[in-house]
Amino acid sequence: YFAAKDEGYSNLRLGSARLGGGLKVGPVLAFVTLEGAAAKGPQLFDAFVAWDIVKRLRLRAGQFKAPFGYRFNVPDLVDELPMAPVSMQAATPGRQIGGEVSYDFWKFAQLTGGVFNGIGQNREANNAKVALAGKLQVQPLAFSTRLPQIVANISIFTYHKTNGFTPDVRTPLGLVFYHGVPASGGSYRLTAGGGVFWKFLSVRAEYFRTRDAREKDDDGDPATPGTRLPPLIGQGMYVQAAIVVTGQRKRVDNLLPDARGFRMRDSAVELSARYEQFRLGAEDLPGNGIEAVVGGVNWIVVQYLRLYVAGVYQHFDASVPEIPEARSWGITGGLAGFFLGRASGTD
């Protein structure tokens, strides 16, 4: 549910629902997820095969999340809050078709590299060439169970668009606040950040920067180069903190409280809040930005089952058609169930 102040605009909608499952035989895992989204209808979400070649070395191919940042590469439905940071959604390359190789240096670091189509999921390859991705994530205190755990990473995703468009940027309530513009040439997405986890407390933060090359279509022929335009630059960040009021420790791999068991007395309750901002613009385009504050409750009812609800307030630098006053608030929530250990990985 969301509404715009003083404009009488409100809406109640079902965002999406997902169903997925996998089969593991020896060192090989096959996994598929389908999503039914209110705006797009049913679509293929994840479809990949992962092979543990040797211990700590994994190869994966298909359609899946590109290696990018910390929050983006944990399971979608285990964030402390119902909706992922808009700054991350604006910068992330999303799900891609391609392959990646990752190597774990015991528990202390993970290095991942991949080659992808560069255009995202369920799209024809008509606006991008090959994309390259790299990510390094370190956890220097992984040897200790008593010390606070620190996670840090840096990631880059670079590609070349040919007569394509920059992606639309959506608000925490799913409204488009910046529509894609024509893009052609070299582009990249960069993120750096991480988190600190200590007993029942956690704090996470990430910085994002995007650059999309642009050109003007002078002759109406998409096959010929146009006039170069100033690149579209985006920058943003988020800071998120959480406390498990029932005392369970926070897990680094999936961000959930470590609630084990299938009895109500084993449940965990967590309070979380996030502040974020993201801005987009170019020398010849009016800029646009968003600030958002989100706070909510995350209840792990029993192992692999959770309920969550949060309130959202967002402010825009410039108004969008759906929110004339450039301010809105909303309430969002959901129910998530995990089976066969789906919530214990980092896919």
Side-chain angles (χ1 to χ4, degrees):
Y1 177 83
F2 52 92
K5 183 180 179 181
D6 301 329
E7 291 295 328
Y9 178 83
S10 64
N11 191 22
L12 181 68
R13 67 184 178 90
L14 173 67
S16 64
R18 295 181 191 171
L19 177 66
L23 175 65
K24 186 172 185 179
V25 179
V28 179
L29 168 69
F31 192 87
V32 175
T33 304
L34 299 176
E35 180 183 64
K40 300 179 181 179
Q43 61 177 332
L44 185 65
F45 219 61
D46 291 306
F48 63 83
V49 175
W51 175 28
D52 294 324
I53 304 173
V54 295
K55 189 176 182 179
R56 297 192 299 273
L57 178 64
R58 186 176 76 159
L59 173 66
R60 182 160 59 159
Q63 178 171 289
F64 52 91
K65 291 181 179 180
F68 189 78
Y70 181 41
R71 165 62 184 86
F72 180 62
N73 285 134
V74 300
D76 279 340
L77 300 179
V78 299
D79 194 293
E80 300 97 326
L81 296 169
M83 306 188 77
V86 65
S87 53
M88 183 198 78
Q89 297 182 64
T92 177
R95 284 167 166 80
Q96 298 280 331
I97 297 175
E100 70 172 18
V101 177
S102 63
Y103 186 79
D104 292 321
F105 294 87
W106 292 272
K107 297 180 179 180
F108 301 101
Q110 183 183 60
L111 181 63
T112 306
V115 180
F116 300 93
N117 63 347
I119 60 171
Q121 67 190 75
N122 306 323
R123 298 179 182 176
E124 296 180 359
N126 61 357
N127 68 344
K129 298 180 180 179
V130 65
L132 302 176
K135 172 182 173 180
L136 174 63
Q137 182 165 300
V138 298
Q139 192 175 337
L141 303 179
F143 62 88
S144 174
T145 58
R146 296 179 178 272
L147 295 174
Q149 292 303 305
I150 300 173
V151 180
N153 76 75
I154 184 168
S155 308
I156 188 167
F157 185 91
T158 181
Y159 56 98
H160 190 285
K161 281 184 174 290
T162 303
N163 304 106
F165 290 86
T166 61
D168 291 345
V169 179
R170 297 181 178 273
T171 74
L173 298 176
L175 304 173
V176 175
F177 89 93
Y178 203 98
H179 288 280
V181 297
S184 187
S187 304
Y188 69 79
R189 272 130 172 73
L190 174 72
T191 179
V196 178
F197 298 79
W198 185 59
K199 297 182 179 180
F200 51 85
L201 302 172
S202 69
V203 178
R204 295 185 286 115
E206 289 187 272
Y207 164 80
F208 303 96
R209 180 178 173 86
T210 66
R211 183 189 187 277
D212 286 287
R214 299 167 52 237
E215 69 176 23
K216 181 180 179 181
D217 187 3
D218 297 310
D219 57 6
D221 184 358
T224 59
T227 304
R228 289 283 182 180
L229 297 174
L232 182 70
I233 303 295
Q235 290 192 93
M237 53 75 69
Y238 76 86
V239 178
Q240 184 165 329
I243 176 171
V244 184
V245 295
T246 47
Q248 291 93 336
R249 72 178 181 88
K250 287 280 289 184
R251 292 178 57 173
V252 177
D253 60 346
N254 65 13
L255 308 181
L256 289 175
D258 192 13
R260 301 183 181 183
F262 296 93
R263 296 173 296 182
M264 288 294 293
R265 67 183 185 183
D266 299 320
S267 65
V269 178
E270 180 178 27
L271 304 179
S272 184
R274 178 173 67 226
Y275 169 78
E276 62 177 317
Q277 58 178 270
F278 193 84
R279 289 194 56 83
L280 274 168
E283 292 181 5
D284 61 332
L285 289 176
N288 204 345
I290 183 174
E291 286 184 298
V293 179
V294 187
V297 179
N298 179 28
W299 178 25
I300 312 298
V301 184
V302 294
Q303 190 174 13
Y304 303 144
L305 179 65
R306 63 188 290 253
L307 291 166
Y308 44 92
V309 64
V312 181
Y313 174 79
Q314 54 193 18
H315 171 263
F316 304 93
D317 288 351
S319 63
V320 294
E322 297 91 339
I323 305 178
E325 282 295 295
R327 291 180 176 87
S328 72
W329 64 269
I331 298 174
T332 181
L335 168 70
F338 304 94
F339 307 97
L340 303 180
R342 176 68 179 99
S344 62
T346 55
D347 295 322

